[in-house]
Amino acid sequence: MIVTFSPRQRDYAPAEFLAAGRPKAHPDVPARLDGLLAGVVASGHAIVEPEDHGLTHVARVHDPRYLDFLETAHGAWRQLPQAADQMVPNVHPRRSGGPYPRAIVGRAGYHLYDMSCPITAETWSAVLWNAHSAASAALRVADGAAPSAYALCRPPGHHAGPDYAGGFCFLNNAAVAADILCRRFGRVATLDIDVH
């Protein structure tokens, strides 16, 4: 089986997140990849780096304003006086028909629905290359280049919505792959084995 994986995923290394109002060590750290990669290698699967698809596939499942936010948010955040290294919202503007927030603090609360998705300087690159991994795996199957493929993606993506991050997820890699496969095969089934 082909396994698509980008080492850029290791660059996203959040320090902590808030749970029950307290800072805790972030569980989605680069070391999580080590066991997965060891299993892939031990099983004899070929690991290939994904192709750069630009925004082609993520733009089909995510709002352009959200993608722009993910790409530019950390830089805007760091312009704030005394801003922390990690971007974490401290306000959550109401989304029901109100205007889109102009300030980065408001946009953070608008797009980050919980406190599990701190944005670092490396977030955008890591999550975009995860989406490239998902797209590359799906395209190999859709094009007939491989009967099956596995996209090793970290941070995960299945909790992310069209214009929001949450549950440790920024871009919905499963939706990216499903969109590609639906375009080729018409219908696909998604099995989510998130067991927490």
Side-chain angles (χ1 to χ4, degrees):
M1 176 170 31
I2 297 292
V3 176
T4 56
F5 167 74
S6 172
R8 292 169 184 91
Q9 296 176 49
R10 290 189 181 281
D11 295 340
Y12 178 64
E16 60 187 23
F17 76 113
L18 289 179
R22 298 189 183 279
K24 294 189 175 185
H26 204 288
D28 187 23
V29 294
R32 290 182 74 191
L33 293 168
D34 298 337
L36 295 169
L37 288 170
V40 166
V41 170
S43 298
H45 299 299
I47 300 174
V48 297
E49 286 219 30
E51 295 82 20
D52 184 343
H53 301 284
L55 297 181
T56 301
H57 301 293
V58 294
R60 288 190 182 130
V61 298
H62 289 288
D63 182 80
R65 190 165 57 185
Y66 175 58
L67 295 175
D68 180 67
F69 166 78
L70 288 177
E71 184 175 10
T72 63
H74 191 265
W77 177 261
R78 294 296 291 151
Q79 298 298 315
L80 296 174
Q82 302 178 344
D85 288 338
Q86 293 188 153
M87 171 192 244
V88 179
N90 58 302
V91 297
H92 290 276
R94 294 186 59 170
R95 302 186 83 177
S96 57
Y100 184 67
R102 286 181 276 183
I104 191 60
V105 173
R107 283 185 273 145
Y110 185 88
H111 291 296
L112 304 175
Y113 78 70
D114 64 18
M115 303 299 192
S116 70
C117 293
I119 293 182
T120 68
E122 296 79 17
T123 300
W124 174 244
S125 175
V127 300
L128 182 60
W129 280 96
N130 281 343
H132 291 333
S133 293
S136 293
L139 286 166
R140 287 176 187 274
V141 172
D143 295 342
S148 63
Y150 175 73
L152 180 53
C153 298
R154 187 239 143 229
H158 62 282
H159 292 297
D163 67 347
Y164 61 83
F168 308 108
C169 303
F170 295 92
L171 294 177
N172 197 318
N173 307 311
V176 167
D179 178 72
I180 290 167
L181 295 170
C182 279
R183 289 173 185 276
R184 171 63 177 90
F185 299 111
R187 291 177 56 174
V188 299
T190 302
L191 175 63
D192 187 341
I193 55 170
D194 189 0
V195 293
H196 62 77

